[in-house]
Each structure stands twice: as structure tokens, then as C-alpha cells.
Amino acid sequence: MTFHFALEGGRLRTAAAALLALTALLGIAPAPEPLLGTEIRRIPTEERVLALTFNAAWNETGLDTVLAVLHDRAAPAVFFPTGDFADHHPRALRAIAAAGHGLGNHSYSHPDFTALTPDRARSEVRRADTAIRRAAGTEPLPFFRFPYSATSPQAIATVNDLGYADLEFTADTKGYLGPGHGMTTDRAVERALTALTPGAVLQFHVGADEESGPDTCLDAEALPRIIDGARARGYRIIDLRALLNR
């Protein structure tokens, strides 16, 4: 498969030596330059492919089901835990890594980055990197997803300078809202399948908040139907790590 990168947006980083020095402090391999300077919301291809991604910021509810579904259907995924989640749920990160899925960075405490100073933003990224690395025992991917998907040119530049590409999403199932906010499994499935487009990046969540009920994870329930429905429509599920191996 060949990806044709035509990403929108501003600058591509050219100070390679400075970038490598900064990323050496974190111990990550920096993202390729064509992935920097913009927010990525879809894989740049016209092929019928899609990628599965999962945010994790609350608890482990639904994770075992998600991992079992991904295994049974031979589907890769990238997970974006917060550092706080990693510190409180190291077993979850070890299970994700052991299953062969990628781990991105979703900040440490899930703040709105558009309201942070560059120093605070860098601290959030670095603390999360340390926590994820410690919990999973593996190197995180150079993919960062902004909390609330709240990006800005300055915030993107800050994470880029740390070697991270901003990897957002094409569509969110909204399963995280749960029954307490009127969401159902059927609606989560419909949102995902309706949003299918070549190169789509789907966002799911594991965990549940108190309003949804501690044992409710609609995205875990919806996942097998979404995978099967996408494949029935001719889509293949690919690993976002392919973006790093151009």
C-alpha cells in the first residue's frame, strides 16, 4: 500500500538536529517530517481503509472486551491513554502492549491545551510519556492526541517540537456519553458506519464515567458490529503505525 501525503497546514519542521536532540530526552523516535505542522484527521489515501483508535482516561471498563474483539477479528488499533490513566491502571497498559497494539500520548491530566502555556503543555506531554513508558514497559509511539481534540497552531508546534505528530480523528462514535446522555450502542454503530470514508480514523473510548454507570462501555459493545459492518462495505482495517514506515 502506498500512502500519498497531502496534509494541509503550516510548516514542516526543518531543524532536524534540534528535533532529534529534544526527542532523545524523551527516548522516542520522532515522527517523520511530513506528519508534522498540521493536525491529521484522516489517512491520506483513496483506498478503502480505516484505522481504529481508543482513548483511555477514566478506568478499565470495557478494555478486556475490546482487546478480545480486536484479537478475534485480527484488527490492529492504537490506544491513547493519559498519563494519569497509566499511573492508576498499569495492568491495562501492559495488556494493550502485550496484545501488540500501539500506545500514543493523550497528555497527563487531560487539560485543554489551547489554554496552556507552552511550558505547561510540554510538561503534560513529558509526564504522560514517562507514565506510559513505566506502566507498559514499551516505547510510546510519536503520536499525540489533544484532549477534547482542542488544537491550535501553537499547541501543535509545541508537541511537534517534542517529536510528536498530532493524530486526531475523522469521526467519534460518542459511545463515551453513555445511556445517561442518551447514547445507545445502536447509535454508536450508526455514527461510525455513516462516517466511513477512505482513510477514516475512528475514535472510541474505553472506560466509563459515573453518570454512565461504572460497568457501561458502549464502544466495547459496538466494536464488533462496527468492524464487521466496515468490512462488509469493503473496508480494510490498517495499523496507523504504517504512517511511520513510509
Side-chain angles (χ1 to χ4, degrees), residues 92-187:
L93 266 72
R94 290 194 297 271
I96 293 167
H101 302 295
L103 286 163
N105 186 319
H106 195 38
S107 80
Y108 187 85
S109 63
H110 208 271
D112 182 343
F113 269 60
T114 62
L116 300 185
T117 65
D119 283 346
R120 172 75 190 284
R122 283 188 287 269
S123 175
E124 282 281 335
V125 176
R126 287 169 172 155
R127 287 183 66 201
D129 178 275
T130 298
I132 293 166
R133 189 184 302 273
R134 180 172 56 235
T138 189
E139 180 179 321
L141 298 172
F143 291 150
F144 184 83
R145 175 166 288 167
F146 284 92
Y148 314 107
S149 196
T151 68
S152 70
Q154 176 59 61
I156 292 172
T158 297
V159 300
N160 284 174
D161 284 341
L162 294 174
Y164 283 88
D166 172 24
L167 204 297
E168 300 300 324
F169 53 90
T170 311
D172 188 330
T173 65
K174 299 288 188 180
Y176 70 89
L177 291 174
H181 295 280
M183 182 54 66
T184 65
T185 303
D186 287 345
R187 290 184 64 190

Side-chain angles (χ1 to χ4, degrees), residues 11 14 20 22 30 36-37 39 49 120-121 146 155 163 188 199 231 244:
R11 61 193 177 85
T14 57
L20 288 171
L22 282 168
L36 307 181
E39 60 181 24
V49 298
R120 172 75 190 284
F146 284 92
R231 286 174 169 166
L244 302 176

